[in-house]
Amino acid sequence: PYGSFTTTAAQFGIGATLHLGVSAFGGKVPTSDTDAGRAATSIGQADVLVSPLDLATAAAAVDSGSLHLPRLVVGTGDDTAPVHALDPTVVSDLRTMMAAVVDSPTGTAAGAGLPAGTYGKTGTAEFGTANPPQTHAWFIGYRDNLAFAVLVVGGGVGGKVAAPIAAKFLAAVGSS
Protein backbone atom coordinates (compact mmCIF):
# COMPACT_ATOMS: atom_id res chain seq x y z
CA PRO A 1 0.00 0.00 0.00
CA TYR A 2 2.87 2.43 0.64
CA GLY A 3 3.92 2.47 -2.99
CA SER A 4 0.54 3.99 -3.76
CA PHE A 5 1.81 7.57 -3.34
CA THR A 6 3.96 7.12 -6.44
CA THR A 7 1.17 5.34 -8.31
CA THR A 8 -1.44 7.94 -7.37
CA ALA A 9 0.87 10.82 -8.33
CA ALA A 10 1.47 9.17 -11.71
CA GLN A 11 -2.28 9.16 -12.39
CA PHE A 12 -2.08 12.97 -12.34
CA GLY A 13 1.08 13.13 -14.49
CA ILE A 14 3.59 13.60 -11.68
CA GLY A 15 6.70 11.59 -12.46
CA ALA A 16 5.95 11.34 -16.18
CA THR A 17 8.67 11.68 -18.76
CA LEU A 18 7.67 14.77 -20.71
CA HIS A 19 8.47 15.24 -24.39
CA LEU A 20 7.96 18.93 -25.02
CA GLY A 21 10.89 19.72 -27.27
CA VAL A 22 12.56 21.47 -24.33
CA SER A 23 13.77 20.14 -21.01
CA ALA A 24 11.02 19.76 -18.43
CA PHE A 25 11.02 18.12 -15.02
CA GLY A 26 8.18 15.63 -14.64
CA GLY A 27 8.25 15.50 -10.86
CA LYS A 28 9.13 12.83 -8.33
CA VAL A 29 7.14 11.17 -5.54
CA PRO A 30 9.40 8.48 -4.08
CA THR A 31 8.33 5.70 -1.75
CA SER A 32 9.57 6.01 1.83
CA ASP A 33 10.52 3.14 4.13
CA THR A 34 9.59 4.93 7.35
CA ASP A 35 6.31 6.01 8.92
CA ALA A 36 7.62 9.58 9.26
CA GLY A 37 8.68 9.60 5.60
CA ARG A 38 5.30 8.27 4.48
CA ALA A 39 3.49 10.89 6.57
CA ALA A 40 5.65 13.67 5.10
CA THR A 41 5.16 12.32 1.57
CA SER A 42 1.39 12.28 2.05
CA ILE A 43 1.39 16.08 2.43
CA GLY A 44 3.92 16.77 -0.33
CA GLN A 45 6.98 17.10 1.90
CA ALA A 46 9.99 14.78 2.41
CA ASP A 47 11.59 13.99 -0.95
CA VAL A 48 8.58 14.97 -3.08
CA LEU A 49 9.66 17.26 -5.92
CA VAL A 50 7.31 18.96 -8.37
CA SER A 51 7.38 21.87 -10.75
CA PRO A 52 4.64 24.37 -11.60
CA LEU A 53 4.15 22.44 -14.87
CA ASP A 54 3.53 19.23 -12.91
CA LEU A 55 0.91 20.84 -10.70
CA ALA A 56 -0.82 22.72 -13.51
CA THR A 57 -1.05 19.36 -15.31
CA ALA A 58 -2.58 17.78 -12.19
CA ALA A 59 -5.10 20.64 -11.89
CA ALA A 60 -6.00 20.24 -15.57
CA ALA A 61 -6.56 16.51 -15.01
CA VAL A 62 -9.02 17.25 -12.20
CA ASP A 63 -10.78 19.77 -14.43
CA SER A 64 -11.14 17.45 -17.42
CA GLY A 65 -11.38 14.16 -15.52
CA SER A 66 -8.54 12.74 -17.60
CA LEU A 67 -4.77 13.08 -17.72
CA HIS A 68 -3.51 14.80 -20.85
CA LEU A 69 0.27 15.21 -20.73
CA PRO A 70 1.28 18.76 -21.63
CA ARG A 71 2.66 19.77 -24.99
CA LEU A 72 4.01 22.99 -26.42
CA VAL A 73 3.32 22.49 -30.10
CA VAL A 74 0.63 20.40 -31.78
CA GLY A 75 2.21 17.58 -33.75
CA THR A 76 5.26 17.11 -31.52
CA GLY A 77 6.29 14.97 -28.60
CA ASP A 78 3.37 13.66 -26.59
CA ASP A 79 0.77 14.62 -29.17
CA THR A 80 -0.02 10.94 -29.54
CA ALA A 81 0.25 10.09 -25.83
CA PRO A 82 -2.83 8.24 -24.64
CA VAL A 83 -5.35 10.04 -22.47
CA HIS A 84 -5.94 8.34 -19.12
CA ALA A 85 -9.34 8.71 -17.49
CA LEU A 86 -9.31 9.28 -13.74
CA ASP A 87 -11.62 7.62 -11.24
CA PRO A 88 -14.85 9.68 -11.45
CA THR A 89 -15.42 9.50 -7.68
CA VAL A 90 -11.91 10.82 -7.00
CA VAL A 91 -12.41 13.60 -9.54
CA SER A 92 -15.77 14.57 -8.03
CA ASP A 93 -14.32 14.63 -4.51
CA LEU A 94 -11.31 16.69 -5.62
CA ARG A 95 -13.55 19.19 -7.41
CA THR A 96 -15.68 19.57 -4.28
CA MET A 97 -12.63 20.13 -2.09
CA MET A 98 -10.94 22.48 -4.57
CA ALA A 99 -14.12 24.57 -4.80
CA ALA A 100 -14.25 24.80 -1.00
CA VAL A 101 -10.65 26.06 -0.86
CA VAL A 102 -11.85 29.13 -2.79
CA ASP A 103 -15.55 29.44 -1.91
CA SER A 104 -15.82 28.39 1.71
CA PRO A 105 -15.40 31.18 4.29
CA THR A 106 -12.81 28.97 5.98
CA GLY A 107 -11.07 27.98 2.72
CA THR A 108 -7.35 28.66 2.60
CA ALA A 109 -7.81 30.87 -0.49
CA ALA A 110 -10.96 32.63 0.74
CA GLY A 111 -10.63 36.38 0.41
CA ALA A 112 -7.87 36.17 -2.21
CA GLY A 113 -10.07 37.86 -4.83
CA LEU A 114 -10.42 34.80 -7.04
CA PRO A 115 -13.34 34.98 -9.49
CA ALA A 116 -16.38 32.75 -9.07
CA GLY A 117 -15.91 29.36 -10.64
CA THR A 118 -12.25 29.05 -9.65
CA TYR A 119 -11.15 25.74 -8.16
CA GLY A 120 -7.85 25.60 -6.30
CA LYS A 121 -5.44 24.20 -3.77
CA THR A 122 -3.04 26.23 -1.68
CA GLY A 123 0.31 24.95 -0.54
CA THR A 124 3.21 25.96 1.63
CA ALA A 125 6.35 23.94 0.93
CA GLU A 126 9.16 23.94 3.46
CA PHE A 127 12.76 24.03 2.28
CA GLY A 128 16.26 24.55 3.64
CA THR A 129 17.72 24.00 7.07
CA ALA A 130 16.60 27.13 8.92
CA ASN A 131 14.55 26.76 12.09
CA PRO A 132 11.74 27.42 11.45
CA PRO A 133 12.11 26.38 7.81
CA GLN A 134 11.65 28.81 4.96
CA THR A 135 8.64 28.20 2.73
CA HIS A 136 7.59 28.47 -0.89
CA ALA A 137 4.03 29.68 -1.53
CA TRP A 138 1.89 27.66 -3.96
CA PHE A 139 -1.55 27.96 -5.47
CA ILE A 140 -2.77 25.66 -8.22
CA GLY A 141 -6.14 25.48 -9.85
CA TYR A 142 -8.37 25.84 -12.83
CA ARG A 143 -11.21 27.97 -14.11
CA ASP A 144 -13.13 27.32 -17.30
CA ASN A 145 -10.61 25.66 -19.63
CA LEU A 146 -7.52 27.22 -18.05
CA ALA A 147 -5.31 25.37 -15.55
CA PHE A 148 -2.53 27.19 -13.72
CA ALA A 149 0.10 26.94 -11.01
CA VAL A 150 1.60 29.85 -9.11
CA LEU A 151 4.86 29.35 -7.21
CA VAL A 152 6.42 32.17 -5.21
CA VAL A 153 9.91 31.00 -4.28
CA GLY A 154 10.57 31.79 -0.62
CA GLY A 155 7.18 33.52 -0.62
CA GLY A 156 5.62 32.17 2.55
CA VAL A 157 2.03 30.94 2.72
CA GLY A 158 0.20 29.90 -0.46
CA GLY A 159 -3.25 31.24 0.39
CA LYS A 160 -1.95 34.63 1.41
CA VAL A 161 0.73 35.12 -1.25
CA ALA A 162 0.20 32.87 -4.29
CA ALA A 163 -3.62 32.84 -4.47
CA PRO A 164 -3.90 36.66 -4.86
CA ILE A 165 -1.38 36.45 -7.71
CA ALA A 166 -3.58 33.81 -9.38
CA ALA A 167 -6.55 36.18 -8.97
CA LYS A 168 -4.65 38.93 -10.77
CA PHE A 169 -3.62 36.47 -13.49
CA LEU A 170 -7.21 35.32 -14.04
CA ALA A 171 -8.39 38.94 -14.18
CA ALA A 172 -5.66 39.79 -16.70
CA VAL A 173 -6.48 36.91 -19.04
CA GLY A 174 -10.18 37.61 -18.77
CA SER A 175 -11.08 34.10 -17.73
CA SER A 176 -14.84 33.89 -17.60
Side-chain angles (χ1 to χ4, degrees):
Y2 297 120
S4 66
F5 291 128
T6 304
T7 302
T8 300
Q11 292 174 13
F12 293 88
I14 298 172
T17 300
L18 303 175
H19 303 283
L20 301 173
V22 297
S23 293
F25 178 64
K28 178 178 95 167
V29 179
T31 301
S32 176
D33 295 332
T34 68
D35 288 343
R38 287 187 289 272
T41 298
S42 74
I43 61 167
Q45 300 290 334
D47 294 325
V48 173
L49 297 173
V50 293
S51 71
L53 179 62
D54 299 323
L55 293 185
T57 299
V62 173
D63 182 22
S64 72
S66 299
L67 172 62
H68 302 260
L69 289 177
R71 63 177 190 241
L72 291 178
V73 179
V74 173
T76 64
D78 282 354
D79 224 25
T80 59
V83 173
H84 298 283
L86 301 175
D87 180 313
T89 301
V90 171
V91 170
S92 177
D93 290 347
L94 286 170
R95 288 176 181 161
T96 298
M97 290 183 278
M98 291 175 76
V101 165
V102 176
D103 296 340
S104 170
T106 59
T108 53
L114 292 154
T118 301
Y119 296 73
K121 172 65 180 93
T122 62
T124 304
E126 297 176 346
F127 71 95
T129 57
N131 190 9
Q134 295 176 285
T135 58
H136 300 309
W138 282 94
F139 184 70
I140 70 165
Y142 63 90
R143 183 162 188 273
D144 298 329
N145 66 346
L146 179 66
F148 57 85
V150 175
L151 166 64
V152 181
V153 175
V157 177
K160 293 182 178 167
V161 177
I165 293 170
K168 290 178 183 176
F169 168 73
L170 292 170
V173 298
S175 178
S176 59

